[in-house]
């Protein structure tokens, strides 16, 4: 404890420094936090109002505890109560949580408590905290994530052992840390240079100088790599201290020069003081007394600028010894006395700090006891009044407590409401962003149509007259537009993933064919870039898998490999199927990926941070989509890469065996005859017309798209145009048209409203209607068909596709009109022949102006549903259909012909082909054969021909992208 004499000596000591060195402000300890730390503390306290999770609160509490540990360097009275309060609060919030972030904050709170106990001198408590950290990280999952916490605890424990002169124990602690790193394969770059600096110091203390030098040199390398100037200087000074013991003075001087060059422009006063102290010792060992005194004085002057510590005592003794050697015994005695005083003070201070918390508790208890005694003595004669007073005081305390608890509860409720509101706002913002992103992607489909369509038209119509150079240019435009279309589809798929709408559509598929399709897509690129593209595929293997998503994954991986592999490079594609696990390896010798980028390559929209790497561009969508699709398929993907060496992608996906029926695969077992034979399915051809007899109304608000549609149709049809649904309705009042082609998203009146209005108009409901849309979602297509659209086309589309669909719908419309007239004439003839007035269900439907559009639409929908349900029923006949709809066979044939313009057989074909179109667009199956069989058509070649004639596009084209 401090005695009066020691207090007087300490006061004299400080006055001496003030007079001699004029450093009053530097050595005077402060009562309050520095401005910098006050700002930092205010920031943390403000952040407490913005967080809403226990982990967030714990992180800020730990930051505050860490701040108070930093301030212990210059405060007169260290705020240990604040350190303990915030660290323990953080610990209580995350102690029982299992996430990585929660575990990190819990371990951090333990280490902060341990460090504060060291400052207090309570080493047992410190050991307890650090040992908890070491125990918790011993067998923890993801040990690499918690390495820094384990290193912190190990370092503090080792220092504690070294202070107790158990240097061997300290070294063993670090050895166990290095073994831990090796056992768990932790990246050695995570090791702090301080580990090797301490090891060098410990080995120097036990005279194992070779090992000490090795570790000091390693510390220097790590600090240099991490650009930590002061640590590099520390390493040089440690190497100088080691070589000082071996009396290699020239080497010592060289190391000290290196250290000084790093420190002379910095504010590391303590390190500079250590530098001058070593220089003084070096001068002492070489016999240069004046240099010894010179450097000792410099070191002592620097130490006067910071808090008094053990280094101050060591340097003071060195300076006293130097004065003694030059014969200045007065100064030697003066510095020796000061050193002794400070040493006693430091010893007393350590004892004081060790018992600070205990003394505070004892003092508080003593004061409380003495106060109670005095109160009891004063109130012996007033016990009754005291009881009443205590009762009222207790009542007041209870009321105040309840009030405070209620106010606190109200604040928490308000805070919870604010948090909920902010979460809702964030969610709304995210939804809005996602909706905007999706809408923009849809909008891209229109300009893509205006790029791909005209190019296809030129390549188809004028192919013979094009020069080779122009043809290649057009093909390049088409290829890149298709790539952009694929990118738009990727963006939309990510949007579906975010909303949970993207699901697996598994079907029986030949895995070998899927892989071959992917390989074929890149064969031309390999040839063009002279890349050695080798691949090892599987034999025919039938599995249950979402072929479209697997192709998208493989195509993305191969696309990246070809993109980043230069001319004459090499790419390997290896596949294996073992124990129902598909393994795919894509390996290249391209430019590779930097180590700092590897952890983020699956992050959406990620771009490289490597400043030495050329700008590569890219959307950062491909690998993100790959990762999310692989997760959706419950697989795993790993990327290994090294700059200038190459990249290897390793993909594993669990595979289900194909579903079998009656001993055969479902893909080839559909052997039945539907209601109407395949041999009777009709085909359509587009004949050359001498004159334009049909009129098409085009409703489109985009001028370029409108012009493009006119160019496609003008050679075969008369065309009239409107910019929106309202304008189109006005035209239909005065002009008769044979087909309407309408966009969906338009101003004033959108396509859905326009379609619904037309179909509810008895004079126009029969006009065939094609919905042209950039909205590819299935629900949008179904909505169009539900409202009454006869067909729909998704942008981008091919000109032949639009022409084929237009021709088919107009042809049926003309047949319907002709059929109605014939049926009307026949009904009149039959009525005249009858003696009694003829009454039939059909009679109301005969004249075109009296057709009940709603009833007709409902009837034809019912017939379509019945036919679709019975496609696989080989015994289902036309008579069965007439029974189910309560119409005679002859009447049923007439009704179908009148409403659709098709015979029953042709109508069945339309149902079959439309169902196939939906299956192809949704990529329900991975090949055309499976689609054909699923709709009851066994002849795949005939199915493909019929499909192309109906929709102007081969079914295989839907499965390519």
């Amino acid at each position: 404890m401090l005695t009066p004499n020691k207090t007087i000596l300490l006061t004299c000591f400080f006055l001496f420094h003030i007079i001699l060195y004029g450093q009053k402000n530097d050595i005077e300890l402060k009562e309050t936090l520095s401005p910098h730390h006050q700002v930092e503390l205010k920031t943390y306290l403000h952040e407490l109002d913005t967080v809403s999770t226990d982990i967030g609160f714990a992180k800020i509490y730990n930051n505050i505890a860490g701040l108070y540990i930093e301030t212990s360097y210059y405060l007169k009275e260290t705020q240990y109560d604040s350190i303990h309060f915030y660290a323990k609060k953080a610990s209580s919030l995350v102690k029982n949580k299992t996430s990585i972030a929660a575990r990190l904050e819990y371990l951090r709170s333990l280490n902060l408590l341990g460090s504060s106990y060291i400052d207090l001198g309570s080493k047992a408590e410190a050991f307890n905290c650090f040992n908890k950290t070491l125990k918790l990280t011993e067998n923890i999952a993801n040990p690499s994530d918690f390495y820094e916490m384990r290193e912190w605890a190990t370092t503090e424990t080792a220092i504690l052992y070294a202070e107790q002169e158990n240097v061997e124990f300290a070294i063993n602690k670090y050895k166990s840390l290095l073994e831990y790193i090796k056992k768990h394969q932790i990246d050695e770059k995570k090791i702090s240079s301080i580990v090797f600096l301490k090891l060098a110091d410990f080995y120097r203390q036990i005279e194992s100088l070779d090992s000490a030098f090795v570790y000091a040199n390693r510390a220097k390398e790590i600090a240099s790599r991490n650009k930590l100037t002061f640590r590099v200087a520390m390493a040089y000074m440690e190497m100088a201290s080691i070589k000082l013991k071996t009396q290699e003075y020239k080497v010592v001087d060289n190391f000290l020069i290196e250290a000084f060059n790093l420190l002379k422009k910095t504010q590391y006063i303590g390190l500079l003081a250590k530098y001058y102290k070593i220089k003084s010792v070096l001068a002492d060992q070489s016999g240069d007394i004046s240099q010894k005194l010179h450097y000792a004085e410099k070191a002592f002057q620097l130490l006067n600028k910071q808090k008094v510590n053990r280094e101050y005592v060591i340097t003071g003794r060195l300076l006293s010894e130097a004065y003694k050697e030059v014969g200045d015994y007065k100064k030697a005695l003066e510095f020796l006395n000061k050193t002794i005083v400070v040493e006693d003070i430091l010893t007393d201070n350590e004892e004081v700090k060790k018992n600070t918390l205990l003394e505070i508790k004892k003092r508080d208890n003593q004061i409380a006891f003495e106060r109670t005694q005095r109160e009891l003595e004063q109130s012996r004669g007033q016990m009754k009044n005291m009881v009443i007073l205590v009762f009222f005081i207790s009542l007041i305390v209870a009321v105040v407590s309840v009030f405070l608890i209620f106010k606190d509860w109200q604040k928490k409720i308000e805070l919870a409401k604010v948090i909920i509101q902010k979460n809702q706002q964030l969610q709304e913002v995210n939804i809005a962003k996602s909706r905007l992103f999706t809408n923009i992607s849809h909008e891209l489909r229109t300009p893509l149509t205006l790029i791909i369509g005209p190019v296809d038209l030129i390549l188809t119509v004028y192919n013979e007259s094009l020069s080779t150079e122009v043809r290649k240019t057009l093909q390049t435009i088409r290829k890149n537009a298709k790539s952009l279309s694929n990118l738009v589809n990727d963006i939309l798929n990510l949007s579906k993933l975010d909303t949970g709408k993207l699901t697996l559509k598994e079907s029986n598929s030949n895995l070998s064919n899927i892989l071959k399709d992917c390989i074929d897509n890149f064969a031309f690129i390999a040839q063009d870039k002279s890349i050695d593209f080798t691949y090892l595929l599987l034999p025919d293997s039938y599995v249950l898998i979402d072929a479209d998503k697997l192709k998208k994954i493989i195509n993305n991986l191969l696309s990246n490999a070809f993109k980043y592999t230069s001319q004459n490079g090499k790419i390997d594609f290896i596949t294996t199927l073992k124990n129902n696990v598909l393994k795919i390896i894509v390996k290249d010798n391209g430019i590779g990926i930097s180590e700092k980028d590897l952890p983020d390559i699956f992050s959406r929209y990620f771009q490289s941070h490597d400043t030495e790497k050329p700008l590569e561009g890219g959307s950062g969508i491909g690998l993100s989509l790959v990762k999310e699709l692989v997760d959706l398929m419950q697989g795993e993907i790993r990327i290994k890469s090294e700059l200038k060496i190459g990249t290897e992608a390793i993909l594993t996906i669990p595979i289900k065996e194909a579903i079998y029926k009656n001993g055969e695969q479902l893909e080839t077992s559909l052997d039945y005859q539907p209601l109407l034979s395949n041999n009777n399915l009709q085909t359509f051809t587009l004949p050359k017309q001498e004159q334009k007899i049909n009129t098409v109304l085009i409703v489109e608000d985009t001028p370029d798209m409108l012009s493009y549609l006119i160019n496609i149709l003008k050679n075969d049809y008369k065309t009239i145009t409107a910019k929106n649904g309202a304008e189109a309705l006005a035209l239909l009042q005065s002009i008769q048209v044979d087909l309407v082609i309408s966009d969906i998203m338009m101003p004033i009146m959108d396509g859905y409203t326009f379609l619904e209005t037309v179909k509810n108009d008895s004079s126009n409901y029969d006009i065939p209607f094609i919905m042209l849309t950039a909205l590819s979602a299935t629900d949008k297509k179904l909505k169009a068909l539900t409202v009454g659209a006869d067909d729909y086309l998704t942008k981008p589309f091919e000109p032949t596709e639009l022409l084929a669909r237009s021709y088919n719908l107009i042809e049926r419309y003309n047949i319907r009109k002709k059929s109605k007239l014939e049926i009307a004439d026949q009904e009149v003839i039959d009525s005249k022949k009858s003696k009694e007035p003829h009454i039939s269900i059909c009679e109301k439907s005969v004249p075109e102006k009296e057709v009940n559009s709603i009833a007709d639409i409902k009837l034809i929908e019912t017939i379509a549903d019945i036919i679709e349900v019975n496609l696989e029923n080989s015994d289902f006949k036309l008579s069965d259909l007439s029974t189910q709809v309560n119409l005679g066979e002859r009447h049923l044939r007439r009704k179908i012909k009148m409403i659709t313009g098709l015979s029953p057989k042709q109508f069945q074909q339309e149902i079959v082909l439309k169902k196939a179109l939906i299956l192809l667009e949704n990529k329900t199956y991975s090949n055309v054969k499976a689609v054909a069989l699923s709709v009851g058509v066994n002849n795949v070649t005939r199915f493909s021909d019929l499909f192309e004639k109906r929709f102007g596009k081969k079914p295989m084209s839907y499965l390519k992208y």
Side-chain angles (χ1 to χ4, degrees):
M1 298 294 290
L2 287 173
T3 63
N5 290 334
K6 287 181 180 178
T7 303
I8 293 169
L9 286 172
L10 182 59
T11 303
C12 294
F13 167 68
F14 282 130
L15 288 172
F16 170 79
H17 282 291
I18 294 167
I19 295 168
L20 184 62
Y21 299 106
Q23 300 290 342
K24 178 179 178 181
N25 292 330
D26 289 326
I27 64 171
E28 185 178 292
L29 301 183
K30 298 179 180 179
E31 298 281 357
T32 58
L33 301 182
S34 67
H36 168 72
H37 281 126
Q38 286 180 16
V39 171
E40 193 173 349
L41 179 60
K42 187 176 180 181
T43 301
Y44 290 144
L45 293 175
H46 175 70
E47 287 176 356
L48 286 174
D49 296 329
T50 64
V51 297
S52 58
T53 64
D54 288 345
I55 296 173
F57 280 113
K59 185 175 182 179
I60 296 172
Y61 289 146
N62 277 332
N63 287 342
I64 296 173
L67 179 145
Y68 280 119
I69 283 182
E70 287 181 38
T71 60
S72 65
Y73 178 80
Y74 61 80
L75 286 177
K76 282 185 178 180
E77 294 184 7
T78 303
Q79 298 186 22
Y80 294 111
D81 54 342
S82 295
I83 296 171
H84 285 219
F85 173 78
Y86 286 110
K88 287 179 178 179
K89 200 163 185 177
S91 172
S92 65
L93 285 170
V94 293
K95 182 176 182 179
N96 298 318
K97 296 187 184 297
T98 57
S99 68
I100 291 176
R103 291 282 85 190
L104 277 172
E105 294 306 325
Y106 179 61
L107 295 173
R108 188 178 167 207
S109 66
L110 285 177
N111 287 344
L112 286 167
L113 284 170
S115 296
S116 69
Y117 280 126
I118 289 176
D119 287 345
L120 280 166
S122 184
K123 295 178 181 177
E125 292 288 346
F127 270 120
N128 184 41
C129 291
F130 294 130
N131 285 334
K132 278 185 182 179
T133 298
L134 295 174
K135 185 177 180 180
L136 288 170
T137 55
E138 183 60 37
N139 297 307
I140 200 166
N142 305 319
S144 181
D145 294 329
F146 302 97
Y147 167 73
E148 286 80 2
M149 296 299 109
R150 188 176 181 88
E151 182 186 278
W152 180 354
T154 301
T155 297
E156 294 282 29
T157 307
I159 292 171
L160 285 171
Y161 279 128
E163 287 177 354
Q164 295 174 354
E165 298 184 0
N166 291 327
V167 181
E168 293 288 351
F169 277 76
I171 292 173
N172 287 336
K173 274 292 175 185
Y174 273 127
K175 282 183 177 178
S176 69
L177 179 66
L178 297 176
E179 289 171 2
Y180 180 86
I181 292 167
K182 185 176 181 181
K183 175 183 175 183
H184 294 286
Q185 298 180 340
I186 296 172
D187 187 356
E188 291 190 359
K189 291 181 180 180
K190 284 181 172 283
I191 306 176
S192 168
S193 57
I194 199 68
V195 171
F196 297 111
L197 280 170
K198 288 297 178 183
L199 275 170
D201 180 24
F202 296 155
Y203 275 112
R204 176 169 55 83
Q205 290 183 44
I206 62 172
E207 300 295 331
S208 183
L209 301 179
D210 289 340
S211 296
F213 191 80
V214 168
Y215 284 120
N217 194 49
R218 194 166 178 186
K220 184 201 75 171
E221 291 172 356
I222 292 173
S224 298
R225 184 180 68 216
N226 295 328
K227 299 179 181 180
L228 298 175
T229 305
F230 71 100
R231 290 272 176 84
V232 177
M234 288 171 69
Y236 276 125
M237 285 192 287
E238 183 59 44
M239 289 191 283
S241 298
I242 295 166
K243 292 302 180 182
L244 195 62
K245 283 184 173 286
T246 60
Q247 298 182 352
E248 298 176 58
Y249 301 133
K250 183 64 177 175
V251 177
V252 173
D253 203 41
N254 289 337
F255 285 144
L256 290 175
I257 290 170
E258 293 287 347
F260 182 74
N261 288 336
L262 294 170
L263 294 172
K264 62 184 178 181
K265 294 181 180 181
T266 68
Q267 300 298 319
Y268 300 118
I269 295 173
L271 290 179
L272 277 171
K274 186 175 181 180
Y275 161 79
Y276 286 122
K277 187 194 76 174
I278 297 173
K279 289 284 287 184
S280 178
V281 174
L282 177 62
D284 180 40
Q285 292 194 9
S286 60
D288 191 338
I289 304 303
S290 63
Q291 286 290 90
K292 175 181 177 181
L293 178 60
H294 171 72
Y295 286 121
E297 284 180 333
K298 276 183 167 290
F300 201 73
Q301 287 174 7
L302 289 172
L303 288 170
N304 280 318
K305 295 182 179 182
Q306 61 180 24
K307 191 173 182 179
V308 177
N309 54 30
R310 288 289 176 187
E311 196 70 23
Y312 182 93
V313 175
I314 295 169
T315 307
R317 288 185 179 278
L318 184 64
L319 185 56
S320 174
E321 184 182 319
Y323 277 122
K324 181 180 178 182
E325 289 173 354
V326 297
D328 193 341
Y329 296 104
K330 183 178 179 181
K331 283 191 175 182
L333 181 61
E334 180 183 321
F335 276 95
L336 179 61
N337 288 334
K338 287 189 295 185
T339 303
I340 292 170
V341 171
V342 173
E343 189 170 23
D344 288 344
I345 293 169
L346 287 174
T347 302
D348 288 339
N349 281 345
E350 287 177 359
E351 189 65 28
V352 168
K353 282 197 294 185
K354 183 176 181 180
N355 296 298
T356 296
L357 295 178
L358 183 60
E359 288 295 329
I360 290 171
K361 289 178 182 178
K362 285 182 178 179
R363 184 188 62 189
D364 290 344
N365 291 336
Q366 183 65 29
I367 291 171
F369 177 75
E370 290 175 356
R371 184 185 298 115
T372 303
Q373 287 293 104
R374 286 196 302 271
E375 289 173 354
L376 286 172
E377 289 175 0
Q378 293 171 2
S379 62
R380 282 177 182 174
Q382 305 172 357
M383 186 61 69
K384 184 177 179 179
N385 292 336
M386 181 59 68
V387 170
I388 295 171
L389 181 61
V390 169
F391 171 76
F392 278 110
I393 290 173
S394 301
L395 184 61
I396 291 169
V397 169
V399 170
V400 171
S401 298
V402 169
F403 176 75
L404 292 175
I405 291 170
F406 176 73
K407 293 294 287 183
D408 184 57
W409 177 68
Q410 278 190 321
K411 285 182 180 179
K412 287 180 179 178
I413 289 176
E414 290 299 320
L415 179 60
K417 287 179 180 178
V418 171
I419 292 169
I420 291 170
Q421 185 179 2
K422 286 184 178 180
N423 287 338
Q424 288 175 344
Q425 290 172 349
L426 287 173
Q427 189 174 5
E428 288 171 2
V429 169
N430 287 333
I431 291 171
K433 286 180 180 178
S434 179
R435 189 183 298 116
L436 175 63
F437 211 19
T438 302
N439 288 341
I440 290 172
S441 300
H442 279 128
E443 286 295 327
L444 288 173
R445 289 177 176 271
T446 296
L448 279 172
T449 304
L450 294 172
I451 296 171
I452 296 171
V455 169
D456 282 342
L457 196 61
I458 294 170
L459 288 171
T460 302
V461 178
Y462 304 105
N463 188 50
E464 298 294 332
S465 60
L466 295 175
S467 66
T468 303
E469 185 177 349
V470 171
R471 189 181 297 108
K472 283 185 177 180
T473 302
L474 290 171
Q475 288 170 345
T476 300
I477 294 171
R478 188 182 188 280
K479 182 183 75 173
N480 285 282
K482 286 288 186 182
S483 297
L484 181 56
S485 179
N486 290 338
L487 179 60
V488 169
N489 290 333
D490 285 348
I491 293 172
L492 293 174
N493 281 332
L494 283 173
S495 178
K496 289 179 183 178
L497 278 165
D498 288 340
T499 57
K501 292 182 179 179
L502 193 65
T503 56
L504 291 177
K505 297 175 182 176
E506 296 175 329
S507 62
N508 285 343
S509 306
N510 188 336
L511 193 55
S512 178
N513 289 341
I514 296 173
L515 299 174
K516 286 176 184 175
D517 286 345
C518 295
I519 293 298
D520 291 343
N521 291 339
F522 293 90
F524 174 77
I525 302 175
Q527 184 179 0
D528 187 53
K529 292 182 71 174
S530 300
I531 289 176
D532 181 10
F533 184 31
T534 59
Y535 47 87
L536 180 62
L537 299 178
L538 299 168
D540 287 349
S541 308
Y542 287 90
V543 298
L544 188 65
I545 197 169
D546 189 325
D548 175 55
K549 291 180 179 59
L550 180 61
K551 283 183 180 180
K552 193 171 291 292
I553 291 168
I554 296 172
N555 285 336
N556 264 299
L557 294 177
L558 284 173
S559 177
N560 279 343
F562 277 93
K563 180 178 180 180
Y564 298 115
T565 300
S566 57
Q567 203 89 4
N568 301 314
K570 180 174 176 58
I571 295 175
D572 295 327
F573 182 80
I574 303 167
T575 57
T576 58
L577 181 60
K578 187 176 180 182
N579 298 328
N580 290 332
V581 175
L582 172 65
K583 185 175 183 180
I584 298 174
I585 299 175
V586 180
K587 186 175 183 181
D588 65 66
N589 64 349
I591 62 175
I593 304 169
S594 68
E595 186 177 353
K596 65 176 73 172
D597 286 343
L598 270 175
D600 300 313
I601 56 172
F602 292 123
S603 299
R604 199 175 294 183
Y605 318 123
F606 171 72
Q607 301 290 321
S608 174
H609 298 310
D610 193 345
T611 55
E612 297 179 0
K613 203 171 185 180
L615 294 175
E616 297 169 356
S619 62
I621 288 175
L623 283 178
S624 172
L625 180 61
V626 165
K627 180 66 168 67
E628 298 198 44
L629 289 177
V630 169
D631 290 343
L632 186 66
M633 300 175 80
Q634 298 182 343
E636 291 182 0
I637 184 168
R638 292 181 290 119
I639 302 290
K640 299 178 181 178
S641 189
E642 190 173 346
L643 274 178
K644 300 180 182 179
I645 301 297
T647 302
E648 181 178 11
I650 304 166
L651 172 70
T652 56
I653 295 176
I655 298 294
K656 301 174 186 175
E657 294 183 1
I659 300 175
Y660 293 89
K661 180 179 180 182
N662 299 328
E664 297 181 357
Q665 295 178 26
L666 284 178
E667 196 172 274
T668 58
S669 65
L670 299 177
D671 187 16
Y672 56 82
Q673 293 296 324
L675 165 67
L676 307 173
S677 169
N678 290 324
N679 297 328
N680 294 323
L681 291 173
Q682 302 298 310
T683 61
F684 299 95
T685 57
L686 187 62
K688 294 289 181 182
Q689 299 182 42
E690 295 182 1
Q691 58 180 348
K692 303 171 186 176
I693 59 174
N694 297 114
T695 303
V696 178
L697 170 60
I698 306 171
V699 189
E700 171 63 58
D701 65 316
T702 305
D704 288 342
M705 177 59 74
L706 188 62
S707 176
Y708 174 52
L709 292 170
I710 292 171
N711 284 335
I712 294 173
L713 297 167
K714 68 182 180 180
N715 292 331
D716 299 294
Y717 305 105
K718 298 175 185 177
T719 59
I720 58 175
T721 63
K723 295 178 181 178
N724 55 66
E727 191 176 316
L729 283 175
L731 286 172
L732 287 176
Q733 300 299 317
S734 57
I735 299 174
Q736 186 169 350
V737 301
D738 301 290
L739 175 67
V740 176
I741 299 174
S742 174
D743 193 9
I744 288 181
M745 293 185 290
M746 298 180 294
I748 303 176
M749 180 184 286
D750 62 60
Y752 288 134
T753 308
F754 172 49
L755 171 62
E756 191 171 3
T757 307
V758 169
K759 292 302 177 181
N760 287 330
D761 184 352
S762 60
S763 60
N764 292 323
Y765 90 96
D766 205 25
I767 300 173
F769 202 114
I770 296 178
M771 191 68 85
L772 193 63
T773 177
L775 303 172
S776 60
T778 303
D779 59 334
K780 304 297 182 185
K781 299 172 186 175
L782 290 176
K783 181 177 179 180
L785 293 174
T786 302
V787 173
D790 297 87
D791 207 342
Y792 63 85
L793 260 178
T794 304
K795 300 174 186 177
F797 60 86
E798 297 174 6
T800 54
E801 189 176 4
L802 178 61
L803 284 170
R805 297 190 184 204
S806 300
Y807 172 78
N808 285 319
L809 291 176
I810 291 173
E811 188 70 12
R812 291 176 199 170
Y813 179 51
N814 292 332
I815 292 171
R816 285 201 300 275
K817 289 193 292 186
K818 183 180 178 182
S819 176
K820 287 175 184 178
L821 292 173
E822 291 175 352
I823 292 172
D825 292 341
Q826 185 62 42
E827 289 288 341
V828 170
I829 293 169
D830 291 344
S831 178
K832 288 180 179 180
K833 289 181 180 179
S834 174
K835 293 181 180 180
E836 297 179 0
H838 179 73
I839 300 173
S840 69
I841 298 174
C842 207
E843 195 167 16
K844 293 182 181 179
S845 307
V846 172
E848 187 175 352
K849 63 182 180 179
E850 296 177 4
V851 170
N852 187 337
S853 61
I854 298 176
D856 286 346
I857 291 173
K858 287 184 177 180
L859 174 62
I860 209 65
E861 286 177 351
T862 302
I863 293 170
D865 289 341
I866 295 171
I867 291 175
E868 186 172 345
V869 168
N870 288 280
L871 281 178
E872 299 183 21
N873 183 359
S874 58
D875 297 326
F876 189 76
K877 298 190 170 43
L878 190 61
S879 58
D880 299 320
L881 177 62
S882 66
T883 301
Q884 290 196 26
V885 295
N886 297 317
L887 291 173
E889 288 188 38
R890 183 166 172 269
H891 192 181
L892 178 61
R893 290 178 186 275
R894 286 183 179 180
K895 201 70 175 172
I896 293 175
K897 184 84 169 179
M898 184 183 67
I899 298 172
T900 67
L902 304 172
S903 68
K905 293 177 182 180
Q906 292 170 334
F907 184 57
Q908 185 227 15
Q909 173 183 308
E910 179 71 5
I911 294 170
V912 165
L913 293 178
K914 277 196 174 179
K915 182 177 180 182
L917 175 64
I918 292 173
L919 293 174
L920 287 165
E921 287 184 329
N922 293 338
K923 294 183 173 60
T924 306
Y925 299 97
S926 62
N927 57 71
V928 176
K929 183 179 180 181
V931 174
L933 292 173
S934 70
V935 296
V937 182
N938 296 325
N939 189 327
V940 180
T941 303
R942 184 167 180 76
F943 168 76
S944 296
D945 292 341
L946 292 171
F947 189 92
E948 185 177 7
K949 287 177 182 178
R950 171 62 180 89
F951 298 112
K953 194 173 180 180
K954 289 186 179 296
M956 177 56 71
S957 64
Y958 287 88
L959 303 176
K960 286 185 178 179
Y961 307 107

